[in-house]
Amino acid sequence: MAIRLEYDNPSQEEVGSTSEQVGSTFEQDFTDEFTTDTIFQSREELIQWARHIGQNLGFIVIILRSEIGGPGKRHKLLMTCECSGNYRSLKNSTKLTGSKKCNCPFQLKGIKLETDDDWMIRVLSGIHNHSIAVYMEGHSFAGRLSTEENNIMIDMSTNLVKARNILSTLKSKDPENVSTIKTIYNARQKYRVAEKVGKSQMRQLLHKLSEHEYIYFYRANDETNELQDLFFPHPRSLDILPAFPFVLLMDSTYKTNRFRMPLFEIVGVTSTEKTFSVAFVLLQSENEDNYTWALSCLRSMIDQCLLPRVILTDRELALMKAIACVFPEATALLCR
């Protein structure tokens, strides 16, 4: 498929006076920049070329309308500047905002020829209104991640790399990258949503635990089938625990998830006074029954001869009672 570009220079009457329409904007004719004898092999290749030229000139070329011709009609493609159209001011309670529109008349028209799959592109207007900065940093369209950049983002996110470090890596690989930290957050959230593929939050969590080889136990409400408690140690932690089973630290943290389930963490101490995570437990509530179930899961994974000798907690009465029930031989110490 070959695509040919042809141009039609518009008259001033067709373009109109931009200064009368938007006041502070100024016009520049980019017809020469979009004039080329290059033969494009596909519609997509032509679109990418036009967008690349536009971005180098400081504006974004978008598809305004694309029509698939019916019997006796040709395929049509209309491309324009993203600032085409009428400006609209938007008022809210805190500030005055508005759209990016500034009545920019720039337009390219693509028409599919009758023979083969050839296309012809005609410049309806090469005039562009400058009403925004040429600098493209943070632009919603120009800052989009390419397929390669998106793959790098996914790989680094999987390895728990922070968003700011991902952005720094992308900019070091491509000095012309104009993405922002918000771009990374949005792309990462989009990937996470797509990864779920209709799974619920709980099914996704259990899938991830299995994927990363965690051992987990859970119990649910018999009537509502809602999760009550979830116990999940990593196999490597259970390999370290038999070497240092003497002292355990236990405590709950709050506001760790939107379901308001406290995260109960069990931590061990090595002979060099370093700590390591033994297990994590999501609790429905901090009642004695919940703590007893979690500690029973822990005890079932420890040999009888390697039970902890000292357990350090804060003054959580329900936890202290559960420890006395499950580990009666251990000495309970309070953290002051």
Side-chain angles (χ1 to χ4, degrees), residues 8-10 14-15 78 105-109 122-126:
D8 234 354
N9 289 331
E14 293 174 339
V15 174
L78 186 61
F106 179 86
Q107 282 190 352
L108 302 173
K109 184 178 182 181
R122 180 178 300 165
V123 174
L124 300 182
S125 172

Side-chain angles (χ1 to χ4, degrees), residues 311-325:
I311 298 179
L312 181 66
T313 67
D314 58 4
R315 196 174 181 277
E316 176 63 46
L317 298 180
L319 176 58
M320 294 169 63
K321 292 179 180 179
I323 291 174
C325 178

Side-chain angles (χ1 to χ4, degrees), residues 9-26:
N9 289 331
S11 64
Q12 186 63 25
E13 294 178 357
E14 293 174 339
V15 174
S17 176
T18 307
S19 59
E20 293 180 359
Q21 295 171 345
V22 293
S24 61
T25 60
F26 63 92

Side-chain angles (χ1 to χ4, degrees), residues 202-330:
M202 184 50 55
R203 289 184 60 189
Q204 179 67 6
L205 173 58
L206 297 180
H207 171 73
K208 284 296 182 182
L209 291 177
S210 300
E211 180 182 348
H212 294 282
E213 300 180 349
Y214 276 82
I215 300 170
Y216 62 89
F217 303 98
Y218 67 89
R219 62 174 182 171
N221 187 300
D222 294 333
E223 297 180 358
T224 63
N225 202 32
E226 293 180 353
L227 177 73
Q228 285 187 311
D229 305 295
L230 175 64
F231 176 91
F232 52 101
H234 194 275
R236 188 175 179 183
S237 299
L238 299 180
D239 292 338
I240 301 175
L241 181 60
F244 309 101
F246 310 109
V247 179
L248 294 180
L249 288 72
M250 301 182 182
D251 194 15
S252 296
T253 58
Y254 307 91
K255 300 180 181 179
T256 57
N257 52 70
R258 63 180 180 178
F259 302 105
R260 299 181 180 179
M261 299 180 70
L263 179 65
F264 179 51
E265 186 174 6
I266 304 172
V267 177
V269 182
T270 68
S271 58
T272 56
E273 299 182 358
K274 301 293 184 180
T275 59
F276 64 96
S277 296
V278 175
F280 302 94
V281 190
L282 287 174
L283 302 174
Q284 184 183 49
S285 60
E286 294 182 295
N287 295 329
E288 182 180 350
D289 176 64
N290 301 92
Y291 283 123
T292 301
W293 178 85
L295 296 178
S296 298
C297 291
L298 176 64
R299 177 153 188 163
S300 66
M301 308 187 74
I302 302 178
D303 293 337
Q304 188 67 26
C305 60
L306 297 176
L307 295 178
R309 299 179 184 177
V310 176
I311 298 179
L312 181 66
T313 67
D314 58 4
R315 196 174 181 277
E316 176 63 46
L317 298 180
L319 176 58
M320 294 169 63
K321 292 179 180 179
I323 291 174
C325 178
V326 180
F327 297 106
E329 306 88 353

Side-chain angles (χ1 to χ4, degrees), residues 42-139:
S42 67
R43 172 179 176 272
E44 290 71 24
E45 183 180 345
L46 175 61
I47 294 173
Q48 292 299 324
W49 176 85
R51 285 175 172 172
H52 177 71
I53 297 298
Q55 186 170 337
N56 290 340
L57 296 173
F59 65 96
I60 300 299
V61 176
I62 63 173
I63 298 176
L64 179 64
R65 185 166 59 252
S66 181
E67 299 178 2
I68 300 178
K73 296 183 179 180
R74 297 181 182 180
H75 294 256
K76 294 182 181 180
L77 174 68
L78 186 61
M79 304 179 69
T80 184
C81 169
E82 68 166 356
C83 295
S84 65
N86 297 323
Y87 173 84
R88 293 179 301 169
S89 61
L90 307 174
K91 294 183 179 181
N92 57 38
S93 58
T94 58
K95 60 182 179 179
L96 177 64
T97 60
S99 65
K100 300 177 182 178
K101 309 299 183 181
C102 65
N103 297 319
C104 180
F106 179 86
Q107 282 190 352
L108 302 173
K109 184 178 182 181
I111 302 175
K112 188 176 181 181
L113 302 181
E114 295 180 355
T115 59
D116 300 327
D117 291 327
D118 296 347
W119 284 72
M120 179 181 66
I121 297 296
R122 180 178 300 165
V123 174
L124 300 182
S125 172
I127 302 298
H128 178 261
N129 289 347
H130 287 268
S131 61
I132 57 176
V134 176
Y135 187 50
M136 306 299 289
E137 181 74 21
H139 194 283

Side-chain angles (χ1 to χ4, degrees), residues 166-177:
I166 297 176
L167 180 62
S168 178
T169 300
L170 295 180
K171 288 186 177 294
S172 65
K173 289 181 176 292
D174 181 12
E176 296 183 359
N177 182 287

